[in-house]
Amino acid sequence: MSGAGTPDFFYREAQRLGYVARSAFKLLQIQKQHKLITPGSSVLDLGCAPGAWLQVACQSLGPLKNGGAVVGIDHKVCSSLALCISEQKVKVPPLYCDSRVQTVCADVMKLPKNQVRALSPRQKGFSVVLSDMCPLVSGITTRDAALSAELGMQALGLAVGRAATAHLDEDIRTDRLLNDAVCTADDNGILQPGGHLVIKLLESEDNKEFSRICKPLFRKASWLRPKATRSSSREIYLICLGLRS
């Protein structure tokens, strides 16, 4: 739906093409511009419900013979905060997805990196990490932005580990944004060297800090507001290419 609550072009196109949500077109645009996902890629989708990005990620892998894997994590439909591969996990959409796609029901904010890494092929980490996580919007701009930044920092911490703290000011280093996912004894993240990271955030001053952290860590870091983003939304995506080893 559009900001006015009426069906818009992307909503209608998602219905017509069989995507479970209009957000599919956001990742389609990111993929078209940056070619994040290639045959054989291992993709982690954080905040995967309702599954539109799972569809696009699997599509981007190409035919089944090309290999690759897509793992989606979300806890919206899970009554427990623990890792629980169960009937409550996000249902894999039947269209565009195949046996390379699996979903896990877990709270990303509490999930240790070693458990996430164990979900990757041969437990060697992922070549692409996608975070479409977003807090329940309250309408209070500063609160929503702070919660979004917390989710974004969680995704960044999972991806690059303790390296995320190297470019922070000392006063921010102990801020609540830097939770156990970043400051854990496990220094290494789950993103493979040369890998790519996408993080959704709400526009705020905190975004400057994300740029400052990511630019030294990746070959390229840039911002994108996809065309499929609702006009009323403050969503923006940080696209980080080529994790330096």
Side-chain angles (χ1 to χ4, degrees), residues 142-170:
T142 53
R143 179 180 184 275
D144 294 338
L147 291 173
S148 174
E150 190 171 0
L151 290 172
M153 189 58 74
Q154 182 74 7
L156 179 59
L158 278 173
V160 304
R162 194 177 291 273
T165 67
H167 302 279
L168 283 175
D169 291 334
E170 188 62 34

Side-chain angles (χ1 to χ4, degrees), residues 1 59 98 104 141 150 168 186 190 194 203 214 220:
M1 296 290 181
Q59 257 188 307
D98 55 36
V104 171
T141 303
E150 190 171 0
L168 283 175
D186 182 1
I190 59 164
E203 292 176 324
C214 292
K220 181 180 179 181

Side-chain angles (χ1 to χ4, degrees), residues 37-43 57-70 98-101 121-122 127:
I37 303 168
T38 57
S41 291
S42 51
V43 183
C58 190
Q59 257 188 307
S60 302
L61 291 176
L64 187 60
K65 65 181 181 180
N66 290 346
V70 181
D98 55 36
S99 59
R100 293 172 290 184
V101 182
R122 297 177 296 281
S127 57

Side-chain angles (χ1 to χ4, degrees), residues 82-186:
L83 180 65
C84 53
I85 302 177
S86 69
E87 294 180 351
Q88 295 174 315
K89 63 187 179 181
V90 175
K91 184 179 179 180
V92 176
L95 190 59
Y96 302 120
C97 293
D98 55 36
S99 59
R100 293 172 290 184
V101 182
Q102 65 167 310
T103 59
V104 171
C105 175
D107 182 357
V108 175
M109 298 300 289
K110 297 181 180 293
L111 194 57
K113 286 199 290 292
N114 64 336
Q115 288 191 32
V116 180
R117 189 179 295 110
L119 298 170
S120 65
R122 297 177 296 281
Q123 301 185 17
K124 291 186 176 181
F126 295 89
S127 57
V128 181
V129 175
L130 308 172
S131 174
D132 200 35
M133 296 188 293
C134 189
L136 292 175
V137 178
S138 67
I140 303 173
T141 303
T142 53
R143 179 180 184 275
D144 294 338
L147 291 173
S148 174
E150 190 171 0
L151 290 172
M153 189 58 74
Q154 182 74 7
L156 179 59
L158 278 173
V160 304
R162 194 177 291 273
T165 67
H167 302 279
L168 283 175
D169 291 334
E170 188 62 34
D171 60 337
I172 299 175
R173 201 182 300 269
T174 55
D175 188 88
R176 73 188 185 92
L177 289 180
L178 292 175
N179 52 36
D180 292 341
V182 177
C183 299
T184 179
D186 182 1

Side-chain angles (χ1 to χ4, degrees), residues 3 26 55 81 116-117 132 145 152 171 174 181 216 231 236-237 240-241:
K26 299 175 186 178
Q55 292 178 296
L81 294 180
V116 180
R117 189 179 295 110
D132 200 35
D171 60 337
T174 55
S231 59
I236 191 169
Y237 289 83
C240 301
L241 305 177

